[in-house]
Amino acid sequence: MAQPQWRLRLEPERIWYQGHWLGPVLAPLAWLYCRIAALRRRAYQQGWLRSFSVSVPVIVVGNLTVGGTGKTPLVLWMAEYLSGRGYRPGIALRGYRAQRSVAEGPQQVAPDADPLRFGDEAVLLAKRSHCPVVAGRDRVAAAKVLADQCGCDLVLTDDGLQHYRLRRQLEILVLDGERRLGNGRCLPAGPLREPQERLATADLVVVNGDANDGHHISLAPGAAVNLQDSSLQRPLRSFADETLTAVAGIGHPQRFFRMLEDLGLSVRPIAYPDHHAFRASDLEHWPPGPVLMTEKDAVKCQRFARPEHWFVPVTAVPSATFVAALDRALAGIKRSDAAKPR
């Protein structure tokens, strides 16, 4: 008779957000992680580790937790807003899971670039932002390319709150309005990248979702766009009488599924890990009929998409209080100021 095989399956979502018993067990490791993160930040503040400025202001849009919080839609909104204010913004990012060697250095990302080579978020930003996007593991070098070679007078970074090697004039921290800080512990016992006290040191904190007070954004879905032919668009409510498959390989896929359900759509959800590298074989496991996916997933699926595949673009809608606070912060940034390590 075959013996049962007992396996300890670590499920971060349950540990971090649902009170799983492993959270307290891992707490000593979380305490150590927090202390190391705090010491590293202090090392940059005190000059024990070297940080660098670029010739234009840098605005970091980041988060305190692992997983998606809505940074990329906010960066897209800010790029458009800043352009309307007369700035020439550029976007720097690491290009998470990009299949590029360190020796290649930072490179400007074209709207039709290969997402496997540059990263899904980099290609999405290049498609939507209408401003230069540079991806590279060295964010300082990427910011310098934008300032020195692309004619940008302001640099936005998508993520990079903990990348203290790059000095910044303004920090914007995006917080998930539903999951917040989870159990409040650092990795691996919780979702935090730094101690939660770091929240108080950011210049602006904006909540993605409902917020009783403070600044917030909401994500407004647009019409579904066909992956094979972008000229084909359908209002989301036109799918109401069909059984849909919803695909999401993002940090918080349930938010995407819930958004569709709140519009009255019946969906069969399929969640993948964040930044999942989609292959044509993945499609074989999808049920027949229309498939709705996030725009970040669409840039990776477009090359083998079928006529029934659609993506749902979202647009960040900031609160008036956030816009006013951003305007005040921008007014305080002098382009000749030297940024300081945070």
Side-chain angles (χ1 to χ4, degrees):
M1 180 182 297
Q3 296 296 318
Q5 296 182 357
W6 297 95
R7 293 185 302 171
L8 180 63
R9 184 180 178 185
L10 297 179
E11 298 178 339
E13 291 288 320
R14 293 182 60 195
I15 297 171
W16 299 345
Y17 300 107
Q18 299 176 23
H20 193 279
W21 61 269
L22 272 175
V25 172
L26 296 171
L29 291 177
W31 179 89
L32 179 61
Y33 188 102
C34 277
R35 300 288 76 75
I36 292 173
L39 178 61
R40 177 178 173 273
R41 179 170 178 247
R42 182 169 178 79
Y44 278 105
Q45 290 175 323
Q46 298 297 321
W48 304 332
L49 293 176
R50 191 177 180 188
S51 58
F52 299 86
S53 298
V54 294
S55 59
V56 301
V58 173
I59 299 177
V60 170
V61 181
N63 60 3
L64 197 57
T65 57
V66 174
T69 59
K71 297 186 309 296
T72 299
L74 180 58
V75 169
L76 285 169
W77 177 86
M78 289 187 63
E80 181 179 1
Y81 183 74
L82 291 167
S83 296
R85 291 285 306 274
Y87 289 92
R88 299 187 303 277
I91 301 172
L93 73 168
R94 182 174 183 268
Y96 187 68
R97 291 194 177 178
Q99 298 175 358
R100 301 168 61 244
S101 69
V102 178
E104 292 182 81
Q107 292 185 343
Q108 188 168 348
V109 183
D112 59 351
D114 183 355
L116 296 180
R117 179 173 168 76
F118 291 94
D120 47 22
E121 289 169 341
V123 176
L124 171 57
L125 288 165
K127 285 178 178 289
R128 288 275 304 272
S129 68
H130 306 294
C131 70
V133 175
V134 173
R137 296 188 182 184
D138 184 342
R139 286 188 179 89
V140 174
K144 287 183 176 180
V145 169
L146 289 167
D148 300 340
Q149 300 179 27
C150 298
C152 298
D153 59 9
L154 187 147
V155 171
L156 293 168
T157 74
D158 186 342
D159 208 359
L161 187 69
Q162 291 78 32
H163 191 80
Y164 295 113
R165 190 167 167 270
L166 175 62
R167 297 187 179 191
R168 67 287 306 263
Q169 272 85 357
L170 182 65
E171 290 182 339
I172 300 175
L173 192 155
V174 187
L175 188 64
D176 187 316
E178 178 183 343
R179 301 188 298 178
R180 297 282 174 162
L181 301 179
N183 60 15
R185 296 189 177 100
C186 281
L187 294 165
L192 300 188
R193 299 174 174 179
E194 295 182 275
Q196 56 184 307
E197 292 78 13
R198 179 70 171 89
L199 195 68
T201 65
D203 298 297
L204 295 174
V205 176
V206 57
V207 176
N208 178 7
D210 294 333
N212 295 327
D213 54 5
H215 313 308
H216 66 273
I217 61 171
S218 59
L219 301 182
V225 180
N226 190 266
L227 265 70
Q228 282 195 343
D229 183 356
S230 60
S231 67
L232 298 177
Q233 300 187 17
R234 287 182 61 178
L236 287 176
R237 295 189 185 277
S238 70
F239 293 94
D241 296 329
E242 303 179 64
T243 301
L244 306 169
T245 299
V247 171
I250 57 177
H252 188 15
Q254 288 74 24
R255 182 191 292 124
F256 178 67
F257 303 146
R258 191 177 301 114
M259 178 188 71
L260 298 177
E261 291 169 350
D262 288 345
L263 291 170
L265 305 184
S266 175
V267 299
R268 295 169 293 204
I270 301 179
Y272 290 89
D274 195 14
H275 300 283
H276 177 68
F278 284 93
R279 302 176 183 273
S281 57
D282 289 321
L283 280 62
E284 305 303 322
H285 302 288
W286 299 350
V291 176
L292 296 180
M293 66 184 70
T294 72
E295 190 171 11
K296 191 172 81 168
D297 296 320
V299 300
K300 293 173 288 189
C301 294
Q302 191 166 16
R303 63 187 185 280
F304 41 72
R306 299 172 182 171
E308 64 269 24
H309 295 160
W310 305 77
F311 72 84
V312 182
V314 296
T315 301
V317 181
S319 64
T321 61
F322 173 75
V323 177
L326 178 61
D327 285 342
R328 289 193 296 269
L330 290 171
I333 293 177
K334 296 180 180 179
R335 303 189 182 191
S336 60
D337 282 353
K340 298 179 181 180
R342 296 300 192 92

